[in-house]
Amino acid sequence: MPVDRVTPAMARRIELWPLERLVPYQRNPRTHSEEQVTQIAASIAEFGFCNPILVDSRDGIIAGHGRLLAAKKLGLDEVPVIVLDHLDETQRRAYLLADNRLSELAGWDSELLALELKELADAGFDATLAGFDSKEIDDFLASLERDAEPESSEAEDAVPEVPAEAVTRPGDLWLIGPHRLICGDCRDRGLIARLFEDRKANVVITSPPYATQRQYDLSSGFAPVPPEKYVAWFKDVAAAIESVLAPDGSYLLNIKAHAEEGERHTYVMDLVLAHKRQWGWRFVDEFCWRKTDDGVPGGWSNRFKNAWEPVYHFSRERKIKFRPREVGHWSD
């Protein structure tokens, strides 16, 4: 969108107002959890009240509701404000949204962010005061360490021959750097508890076996599940996932119903509905995994062969960790 070369209205001064003079906007759609208010308060205590509250000519808050709550938490008597008396009523309401939304559209340079966090940590500064939690900081620092590791030689990356006798047995737990891998039945909640210990998963992604569409290695102990028994068989899988999923986590299920006698089987539909109606999951959305280069379906005698597979998104709670703008990208 082109922007005309004009001189915008600018605030000329900052005023100090008592807290009781400020009037919160009753229809403010932006929410502030107690945890976030505590973070804002800690930031103000560390850096000072660097970001004044924006108000209109009637003392109503346009931007800064979270900062007001933090000021009350800190026991402050007054706060800095900037009066935006040049906005009309419609502009005031629009800017209340824009002030929050425009900042969300910015991104991060992950490499530079990791460097900044590392240097702050090296200086002994508590980087959580910048709004990042300890796990996020650890993940960024770990990414720097991984990038600093020398590339493996071809010999180190070579895949060894499969031994005549399997090394891994059911119940074996492998520690692979920061990762954990266990051999066993994913429906066994005791086994899953060993894998996760006291941790919780933010995301669980599973692509379970098809019903009777394929033959599996009999030595694995898994036998194809008839479609009419699939939902009952999968119940323990969903329960195991629930036992380790964080309250605000997501569970993604990738499964495509096979066709019999020229028509799709309905057991996957039954499975999706069972998650919602029997097991209490929230059905968040459905995604398509494109599997061919051109997205054009193949053909059978009486139907198309889909060039995609469905991925079903479930959660236990309404509010989940979901930041699509940070992980999404356009397809090639």
Side-chain angles (χ1 to χ4, degrees), residues 157-170:
D157 291 336
V159 178
E161 293 292 330
V162 178
E165 185 175 347
V167 174
T168 303
R169 305 292 182 184

Side-chain angles (χ1 to χ4, degrees), residues 19 41 68-79:
L19 267 59
L68 175 61
L69 294 173
K72 292 179 178 179
K73 193 176 190 69
L74 291 170
L76 302 182
D77 296 322
E78 55 185 13
V79 292

Side-chain angles (χ1 to χ4, degrees), residues 186-230:
C186 67
R187 298 173 299 163
D188 183 344
R189 278 193 253 181
L191 186 86
I192 300 300
R194 279 188 57 217
L195 175 65
F196 279 82
E197 293 183 332
D198 295 327
R199 302 175 180 88
K200 291 292 183 181
N202 289 319
V203 178
V204 173
I205 303 173
T206 182
S207 183
Y210 294 104
T212 53
Q213 183 179 2
R214 293 178 179 170
Q215 294 297 320
Y216 294 90
D217 184 355
L218 296 179
S219 66
S220 69
F222 174 78
V225 182
E228 63 273 13
K229 296 182 179 180
Y230 200 90

Side-chain angles (χ1 to χ4, degrees), residues 12 14 42 49 61 75 81 87 119 124 149 154 198 235 282:
R12 299 298 179 183
I14 296 175
F49 211 118
I61 297 178
V81 303
L87 300 179
E119 292 179 4
E149 292 176 357
E154 290 186 7
D198 295 327
K235 181 179 180 180
R282 293 179 61 87

Side-chain angles (χ1 to χ4, degrees), residues 30 94-106 324-325:
R30 192 67 163 175
Y95 186 72
L96 184 145
L97 301 178
D99 180 71
N100 289 294
R101 182 58 176 158
L102 292 176
S103 63
E104 293 177 350
L105 300 179
R325 292 184 180 276

Side-chain angles (χ1 to χ4, degrees), residues 193-302:
R194 279 188 57 217
L195 175 65
F196 279 82
E197 293 183 332
D198 295 327
R199 302 175 180 88
K200 291 292 183 181
N202 289 319
V203 178
V204 173
I205 303 173
T206 182
S207 183
Y210 294 104
T212 53
Q213 183 179 2
R214 293 178 179 170
Q215 294 297 320
Y216 294 90
D217 184 355
L218 296 179
S219 66
S220 69
F222 174 78
V225 182
E228 63 273 13
K229 296 182 179 180
Y230 200 90
V231 171
W233 173 83
F234 198 89
K235 181 179 180 180
D236 289 338
V237 179
I241 291 172
E242 181 181 6
S243 70
V244 295
L245 187 67
D248 57 357
S250 291
Y251 151 39
L252 301 171
L253 169 65
N254 164 227
I255 186 170
K256 177 181 178 180
H258 66 269
E260 288 183 359
E261 298 182 357
E263 66 174 352
R264 286 282 175 198
H265 206 289
T266 61
Y267 78 91
V268 170
M269 296 182 189
D270 295 335
L271 180 62
V272 173
L273 292 175
H275 277 80
K276 173 68 176 177
R277 296 176 178 174
Q278 297 180 33
W279 307 330
W281 289 89
R282 293 179 61 87
F283 181 25
V284 180
D285 210 341
E286 177 182 358
F287 304 101
C288 290
W289 167 28
R290 194 182 79 175
K291 299 182 64 177
T292 62
D293 292 336
D294 56 11
V296 177
W300 293 111
S301 59
N302 67 330

